[in-house]
Amino acid sequence: MQQQELDRLVGRTVGKADITGAVLQVASGDGATDLISAAGDFEPDSRYSIASINKMFISALILRLAAQRVLGLDDRFADFVSEDVVAGLHVIDGTDYSRAITLRHMLSQTSGLPDYLDDRLPDGRIVHEDLRAGLDPSWPVPLVLDTVKQMQPHFPPGQPGKAEYIDTNHQLLELVVERVTGRT
């Protein structure tokens, strides 16, 4: 692929289906190809929200680590993090399910954890509404943990017939990846 072809493809994408801007980078593992193109509202070095794209990468890393037998999908999340991370993470009606959450629960959205983006925060706000209003504060894992521990979980982990799309799951799976790989 040549730069002109990439520019043409990215340029044609903008304006379709409410797409106001796009950035695309094409790179080969050997470094022979490294092209970047932007169109519409973006420049190649523009900052923008990647939304849920990180979930694909985190899921792929967890699945790769499971395939390499570095971890198992039925391993408990608590086995990869410190007690202060787990303590009070998932409490419903006085029952603490925090140590029962498995990596499979988190990947399959069956952990029942509160969602720091879509559920109402202790102060009454909903983060997704802030994002739609143009506010995009950073949500590092320690802030996610502190916030989620003050929120009501949806259901016990792995409850049959229950699933809820929860951004918290993948934020916390990052801790597992960091622990087993030794890399951020």
Side-chain angles (χ1 to χ4, degrees), residues 56-171:
M56 290 185 290
F57 292 105
I58 295 298
S59 295
L61 286 169
I62 292 289
L63 293 171
R64 175 182 276 179
L65 293 166
Q68 295 170 344
R69 292 184 165 61
V70 174
L71 54 76
L73 296 182
D74 294 315
D75 290 351
R76 296 178 318 149
F77 171 70
D79 294 338
F80 296 94
V81 296
S82 61
E83 183 57 34
D84 63 309
V85 168
V86 178
L89 183 63
H90 192 306
V91 180
I92 300 176
D93 297 327
T95 302
D96 192 341
Y97 295 97
S98 304
R99 299 189 68 70
I101 300 168
T102 66
L103 304 183
R104 184 182 307 276
H105 292 143
M106 298 171 95
L107 282 172
S108 65
Q109 303 292 341
T110 60
S111 71
L113 285 167
D115 186 352
Y116 74 97
L117 281 179
D118 283 322
D119 292 340
R120 194 162 301 282
L121 299 179
D123 67 6
R125 290 179 307 120
I126 296 175
V127 174
H128 246 135
E129 291 174 0
D130 289 348
L131 292 171
R132 283 187 210 100
L135 304 173
D136 192 11
S138 177
W139 276 87
V141 173
L143 178 57
V144 170
L145 283 167
D146 289 345
T147 303
V148 166
K149 288 179 180 185
Q150 298 173 53
M151 298 170 73
Q152 182 64 37
H154 294 270
F155 48 83
Q159 183 174 335
K162 294 281 190 173
E164 181 89 20
Y165 186 81
I166 297 168
D167 290 276
T168 306
N169 289 317
H170 282 76
Q171 277 281 64

Side-chain angles (χ1 to χ4, degrees), residues 21-57:
V23 176
L24 179 66
Q25 182 171 9
V26 177
S28 61
D30 63 3
T33 302
D34 192 5
L35 306 171
I36 188 165
S37 184
D41 296 346
F42 291 117
E43 296 295 326
D45 60 350
S46 293
R47 292 178 54 113
Y48 50 89
S49 173
I50 61 171
S52 293
I53 293 171
N54 67 320
K55 290 180 184 72
M56 290 185 290
F57 292 105

